[in-house]
Amino acid sequence: MRRVDLADLSDFGSDDAALLIRLDGLSPDLARRAAVRLPASGAGSTRPVLIGWSQQPLPQWSEPLLKRLDFTLAPDGPGRCWLNAGDDFVEHVNRTVAHAPLASRLFARLLRVGERLDVESALEMESLAYSALLASDEFEQWRIATPARAVPASPEPVLMARDGAVLEVRLNRPERHNAFGRQVRDALLEALALAALDHSLERVELTGTGPSFCSGGDLDEFGTAGSPVAAHLVRMEQSAGLAIHRMAERVRPTLHGACIGAGIEIPSFATHVRARANAWFQLPEVSMGLIPGAGGTVSIPRRIGRWRTAAMAMSGRPIDLDTALEWGLVDECL
């Protein structure tokens, strides 16, 4: 990942997957001219990932420029375009981009495009992009390095209990940290369909058994669908995130422990998300040559902005509960 000065930023047709742009000593005039020169949100299919970097707090007048970047690292700044992180964070991003340059660029572009779409259209775009990456060399190399194993059956992957007007829904694969595989997905969709049809149910309490709410998609199922096209159709027809979005005010997730990938992507569609003190959050998919594929390119940016979403996924670093509360990824700590 090359480091460049903002004044030298002009060529988006280069082979660079990402550029780290120095913003120290930024002037209002340079910021204005650079913002005009950069492609608007959703544009620039050939551009690399553009990451701002400053050792000084960035002033309010820099916000139009920061919005044109994919994210910015700085001690402070305007809006939600920036986050405070050190050199180790940059190194994590650099490793991700070096390992999966196509996934990194596609992910950043998808976030820019998704800003302008409604939820269902944005989910369609996410699923198409995910399917394309399933056929990529980057994902194939990850799958070779991480061979799939047989997935054991779970007799009750999701537990349900009704208490008056409340339906309690609990992910129940504690031995696999509630990994969101086909069995859990299908059982959760059944529970959500029940709630959607029964309007006497005023609330759905969504929780998980064991040490983690959900450790993300079951890695042993990644890439095992018959074809990328078939996988796309299944994701759109059986989207737990979309089901929660359609009754967002009635579903109340309570998260704990590891909330990785789907474990934060899906509950983020709810209007109000609660978390216990031991909860932590991570989006590791880009390092696998993929993107968040359970709705995370749609639900999470609508909570914390596309810039911090990009930073989470392209670093692969976990964030703690305090950061999640500050950003708005979760709404309440229990």
Side-chain angles (χ1 to χ4, degrees):
M1 184 164 59
R2 284 197 301 125
R3 301 191 179 207
V4 300
D5 292 323
L6 182 61
D8 299 329
L9 191 62
S10 59
D11 181 13
F12 298 132
S14 72
D15 293 330
D16 291 302
L19 295 174
L20 190 65
I21 305 161
R22 301 182 187 92
L23 300 179
D24 286 318
L26 186 66
S27 69
D29 181 61
L30 179 57
R32 178 188 58 78
R33 286 189 284 112
V36 170
R37 192 168 68 245
L38 287 171
S41 177
S45 60
T46 61
R47 74 177 237 181
V49 179
L50 300 179
I51 303 167
W53 178 72
S54 176
Q55 294 179 308
Q56 304 168 351
L58 292 165
Q60 185 66 43
W61 48 256
S62 67
E63 187 169 16
L65 170 62
L66 303 190
K67 284 184 174 180
R68 296 293 180 98
L69 304 178
D70 292 301
F71 62 92
T72 295
L73 306 174
D76 198 359
R80 301 186 297 178
C81 309
W82 63 278
L83 68 155
N84 189 0
D87 289 341
D88 62 329
F89 190 94
V90 175
E91 288 307 312
H92 280 276
V93 174
N94 192 38
R95 283 197 291 270
T96 297
V97 172
H99 183 69
L102 294 178
S104 299
R105 292 174 77 163
L106 183 58
F107 174 64
R109 176 164 173 76
L110 184 63
L111 291 180
R112 297 194 301 271
V113 171
E115 283 187 313
R116 302 176 297 164
L117 301 177
D118 61 77
V119 166
E120 294 195 29
S121 298
L123 283 171
E124 187 91 33
M125 289 292 292
E126 176 191 276
S127 182
L128 287 168
Y130 190 94
S131 286
L133 289 169
L134 283 174
S136 71
D137 291 341
E138 292 174 2
F139 173 69
E140 182 182 12
Q141 290 304 309
W142 177 85
R143 185 75 283 178
I144 291 171
T146 315
R149 302 162 298 179
V151 178
S154 296
E156 291 186 284
V158 170
L159 302 176
M160 286 190 292
R162 180 165 186 162
D163 184 7
V166 177
L167 180 65
E168 298 177 1
V169 178
R170 187 179 293 267
L171 308 185
N172 188 44
R173 293 182 79 196
E175 72 284 358
R176 293 177 77 86
H177 289 262
N178 296 325
F180 198 76
R182 297 184 185 96
Q183 297 171 70
V184 173
R185 178 199 65 202
D186 292 347
L188 176 59
L189 283 168
E190 288 181 11
L192 295 172
L194 172 63
L197 292 170
D198 188 347
H199 294 284
S200 68
L201 288 169
E202 298 175 0
R203 192 169 71 251
V204 177
E205 295 282 357
L206 178 60
T207 60
T209 60
S212 303
F213 171 73
C214 176
S215 60
D218 194 317
L219 299 185
D220 291 319
E221 294 184 1
F222 279 27
T224 59
S227 74
V229 175
H232 165 65
L233 295 175
V234 168
R235 276 192 300 276
M236 292 310 300
E237 293 169 0
Q238 298 176 288
S239 171
L242 182 57
I244 291 177
H245 166 69
R246 288 172 172 165
M247 49 181 179
E249 294 189 359
R250 294 171 62 198
V251 179
R252 188 166 65 179
T254 300
L255 313 182
H256 73 281
C259 305
I260 302 172
I264 185 57
E265 297 173 53
I266 292 170
S268 289
F269 282 100
T271 299
H272 190 83
V273 178
R274 305 187 300 177
R276 302 197 181 278
N278 67 344
W280 56 275
F281 313 89
Q282 187 178 22
L283 295 176
E285 295 93 338
V286 178
S287 66
M288 304 173 190
L290 295 172
I291 58 173
T297 69
V298 183
S299 60
I300 295 177
R302 283 160 171 76
R303 283 186 159 270
I304 67 174
R306 68 171 172 88
W307 305 273
R308 289 169 175 170
T309 304
M312 272 189 73
M314 294 186 66
S315 71
R317 295 285 301 277
I319 68 168
D320 58 26
L321 180 57
D322 288 342
T323 302
L325 286 165
E326 179 186 347
W327 288 0
L329 186 60
V330 300
D331 303 292
E332 180 184 356
C333 177
L334 297 180

